[in-house]
Amino acid sequence: MTKRGVSVGVLALQGAFREHVYSIRLCGARAIEIKFPYQLDEVDGLIIPGGESTTIRKLINKYGFRYYLDEFNRSKKPIFGTCAGLILVAKKVLNEDAGLGYIDIEAQRNSYGRQIDSFEEYVKLKFGGEEKFKAIFIRAPKILKAGPDVAILSKINDNIILARQNNILVSTFHPELQKDMRIHEYFLKMIGKSIKREN
Ligand code: GLN
């Protein structure tokens, strides 16, 4: 399966969805803004962007997305949650209602405190070569706990910032806000492999 044949949906209810659409197109794949649940049938993978997790959750419920997202996950199609998207797919969220429960992590919202609401750091990735990746954190969450089946793909000190469990990829930062596409390319590879398995 070439990248050109892959379609990626970006949940476009609120937040930084346009930048993900742009990133996926830059990688040479098809990107679709998902505004209605039925559109999920048209895509091979889904990005849940950063933004405000409480707002996105409300809109997921209001527009009847929950059932279709659960089905999407059950069918093992890849889902990438960035920042607020990570909070939404987490199994647990500290002091909040549980997330969608697609990945065995506990997240804490706005976890870096007020003074450093936003910062950038060059980090090492477990894939894609030695060059460091510019990770942009905006009122970022932390992953407080990760289950044994969660693979850690990047860390800052003791904090996991990029992780994967089966079809679910999560980052506490915003990879779509700069030009280095290694994480989007990694997600596209996950999608390519999942399509191969289906056929
Ligand atoms: N602080 C936001 C939340 O808790 C997440 C921030 C982001 O997505 N950049 O939902």
Side-chain angles (χ1 to χ4, degrees), residues 3-4 21-30 180-186 188:
K3 272 192 284 185
R4 288 207 170 277
V21 166
Y22 181 75
S23 300
I24 290 295
R25 288 180 185 159
L26 208 62
C27 293
R30 223 157 77 92
D180 186 338
M181 289 295 117
R182 276 179 287 168
I183 297 178
H184 287 85
E185 293 282 2
Y186 179 87
L188 285 170

Side-chain angles (χ1 to χ4, degrees), residues 11 13-14 49-60 84 88:
L11 192 64
L13 300 176
Q14 189 266 338
E52 204 50 50
S53 55
T54 44
T55 307
I56 301 175
R57 179 179 293 120
K58 271 190 202 139
L59 295 171
I60 283 175
L88 288 162

Side-chain angles (χ1 to χ4, degrees), residues 28-66:
R30 223 157 77 92
I32 297 174
E33 288 185 9
I34 304 286
K35 304 251 185 212
F36 304 100
Y38 70 84
Q39 293 176 288
L40 289 171
D41 282 346
E42 298 167 23
V43 295
D44 309 303
L46 177 71
I47 296 176
I48 305 182
E52 204 50 50
S53 55
T54 44
T55 307
I56 301 175
R57 179 179 293 120
K58 271 190 202 139
L59 295 171
I60 283 175
N61 293 333
K62 183 170 173 193
Y63 294 110
F65 267 98
R66 178 70 202 250

Side-chain angles (χ1 to χ4, degrees), residues 49-54 82-85 87 109-110 138-141 174:
E52 204 50 50
S53 55
T54 44
T82 59
C83 207
I87 294 162
R109 296 181 60 204
N110 303 328
I138 303 169
R139 301 215 311 133
H174 284 260

Side-chain angles (χ1 to χ4, degrees), residues 69-84:
L69 288 172
D70 285 349
E71 281 298 304
F72 199 88
N73 178 51
R74 246 194 300 277
S75 69
K76 296 269 178 280
K77 285 186 182 161
I79 300 176
F80 181 17
T82 59
C83 207

